[in-house]
Amino acid sequence: MSKYASTDPTTGTVVAKFETESDEQVMAPLSAADAAYRTWRTTEVAERASVLQRVADLHRERETELAELMTLEMGKPIAQARGEVKLSASIFEYYATKGQDLLADEELDIAGSGRALVRTAPIGALVGVMPWNFPYYQVARFVAPNLLLGNTILLKHASNCPQQALAIEAMLRDAGSPEGVYRNIFPSSDQIADLIADPRIQGVSLTGSERAGSIIGQLAGKHMKKAVLELGGSDPFIVLAGADLGDAVAAAVPGRFGNAGQACTSSKRMIVDASVWDEFLDGFVSAAQSWSMGDPTDPATRLGPMSSVRGRDEIAEQVADAVSKGATVHLGGSVPDGDGAYYPATVLSGVTPDMRAYREELFGPVAVLHKVDSTDAAIDLANDSPFGLGSAVFTTDDTEAAYVADRLDVGMVGINTTIKSAPDMPFGGVKTSGIGRELGRFGLDEFANKKLVRTL
């Protein structure tokens, strides 16, 4: 079977195949990207921004087509797929609109004579390795700032969403980006390694697993290339004694089960103060029951299939391991009969450190609830994880919220909200959740030459 294939996760049927490209087919776009960089970097910012605006417009014009491809290739419910297309459009539009300001020279207040400024300049051709779970959004947050900056891009998308990869390339082409500025490629893992080693490539961005991040990070380090790595997460959702439990449940349930739980920033660990444990547990389980499995092409469906049977089987094994060691199942917990990669909304409690579900990322619709006796115990449990991506803290006490936020070892904290991506806010984590930031000004600066210009 071809490495790149569209497989309908509701049935397991392969609907389209695309061949892995030859070395020549992969290296030709690299030569084109390197050549295009020489002119794209000197193109007026306004002209680069106009291309990005047109890409934003095309996302909106092709929303139905793009969303239907997402539902076909990775099973996202169509309403959620449409929402992702809209978010992706807003990212391209943000950089198109804010481009001049984001790239403006920064005058320095220096002690000596003369003047000094820092200019934000591009660095060259980049490689992007993108995942399947948010197939348009995660491309947008890498591509938009770097094309605005003047870099050029070779994009290797996930092997199970090749038609979406080609649809993205078509939008960049139809928006008027010059030949070589953006190219989709279907390479092997060895060819990605060869690209990173090539001196014409100046950086690599990966969104994926910790294992993939470790491999790409080592390759980038070996060849002295800049790398941005957005990896896994096991985000804590902390509910303190003073929380508004209605608001907390209303945020926690979609925060865990949206996209079938297949999001790095899903609220995977609910850490609940003992004083509100019973009420929150009852409310959470009751609300989760409404997330029944269904046809992802139906606009009313909220929980579609997972992206693959392999992913479904992995989450089922993690749950089975926890149950065999004493965890309590409050909802779901078993693979349904029938075709497809479906797994029900599942709620566990009593998960202990000897269980896989305690430390491993649960990349599926499974929530783990922990009871704690104090705010400090909640912080300790939240930080007892190899991950450090996002988090949420629910309390009506502003002082307590600030206390917890300052002590969480994460890259992002939401106070009385889950982390929701926005074009103008930085996204990223610490520990094994990755290196670097995306979106906003911080995402623009990752693959930039912050060039000092000193004048006497």
Side-chain angles (χ1 to χ4, degrees), residues 83-425:
E84 181 179 333
V85 176
K86 290 181 174 72
L87 174 60
S88 303
S90 73
I91 292 171
F92 279 99
E93 187 164 76
Y94 169 79
Y95 286 102
T97 303
K98 300 293 186 180
Q100 295 284 359
D101 293 339
L102 291 170
L103 293 178
D105 292 342
E106 180 183 352
E107 193 82 24
L108 301 181
D109 182 10
I110 60 174
S113 60
R115 57 192 295 261
L117 59 86
V118 173
R119 180 158 294 152
T120 302
I123 60 173
L126 308 174
V127 172
V129 181
M130 296 292 113
W132 49 263
N133 58 331
F134 289 91
Y136 298 116
Y137 155 70
Q138 284 165 315
V139 171
R141 71 187 192 189
F142 167 59
V143 170
N146 282 298
L147 292 190
L148 172 69
L149 184 57
N151 294 322
T152 57
I153 292 171
L154 298 180
L155 200 291
K156 183 260 183 238
H157 217 318
S159 60
N160 61 334
C161 55
Q163 294 189 69
Q164 293 172 87
L166 294 173
I168 294 168
E169 183 180 56
M171 284 190 288
L172 267 295
R173 181 180 63 247
D174 294 347
S177 63
E179 178 67 26
V181 166
Y182 179 93
R183 281 288 302 271
N184 177 75
I185 53 176
F186 289 143
S188 66
S189 297
D190 288 343
Q191 288 167 338
I192 287 292
D194 290 341
L195 286 172
I196 295 172
D198 193 290
R200 292 170 290 183
I201 291 294
Q202 299 303 307
V204 56
S205 178
L206 172 131
T207 299
S209 68
E210 308 92 86
R211 179 178 176 274
S214 177
I215 293 169
I216 293 296
Q218 289 181 58
L219 287 168
K222 177 181 178 181
H223 298 290
M224 300 295 289
K225 306 296 175 68
K226 176 65 184 289
V228 170
L229 307 173
E230 197 277 281
L231 310 177
S234 188
D235 287 10
F237 185 104
I238 300 173
V239 184
L240 299 175
D244 182 314
L245 295 184
D247 288 349
V249 168
V253 173
R256 172 67 281 213
F257 299 118
N259 201 33
Q262 300 166 122
C264 299
T265 53
S266 282
S267 301
K268 299 182 177 77
R269 296 179 294 145
M270 313 296 164
I271 301 174
V272 185
D273 189 273
S275 65
V276 295
W277 168 264
D278 289 337
E279 188 176 351
F280 180 82
L281 175 61
D282 289 347
F284 185 86
V285 172
S286 177
Q289 287 173 338
S290 68
W291 284 68
S292 56
M293 296 174 291
D295 177 0
T297 65
D298 183 344
T301 294
R302 290 193 287 180
L303 186 61
M306 295 180 62
S307 70
S308 67
V309 170
R310 181 171 138 186
R312 189 273 312 278
D313 290 347
E314 174 71 11
I315 199 78
E317 289 171 8
Q318 290 169 310
V319 170
D321 171 76
V323 173
S324 71
K325 295 173 181 175
T328 299
V329 179
H330 299 273
L331 181 70
S334 60
V335 176
D337 295 331
D339 296 330
Y342 287 94
Y343 195 79
T346 297
V347 181
L348 303 177
S349 67
V351 171
T352 55
D354 61 320
M355 302 173 187
R356 292 179 59 191
Y358 187 89
R359 293 200 178 278
E360 294 180 9
E361 180 176 20
L362 297 176
F363 214 65
V366 177
V368 174
L369 274 65
H370 298 278
K371 184 194 296 186
V372 292
D373 294 325
S374 69
T375 297
D376 285 332
I379 295 168
D380 290 343
L381 181 54
N383 289 337
D384 187 20
S385 170
F387 300 103
L389 190 54
S391 61
V393 182
F394 275 73
T395 177
T396 54
D397 185 329
D398 292 343
T399 300
E400 184 177 48
Y403 176 85
V404 176
D406 286 346
R407 286 159 178 78
L408 291 177
D409 298 331
V410 297
M412 301 173 286
V413 182
I415 305 297
N416 294 319
T417 182
T418 53
I419 293 297
K420 297 180 177 67
S421 192
D424 54 354
M425 290 192 289

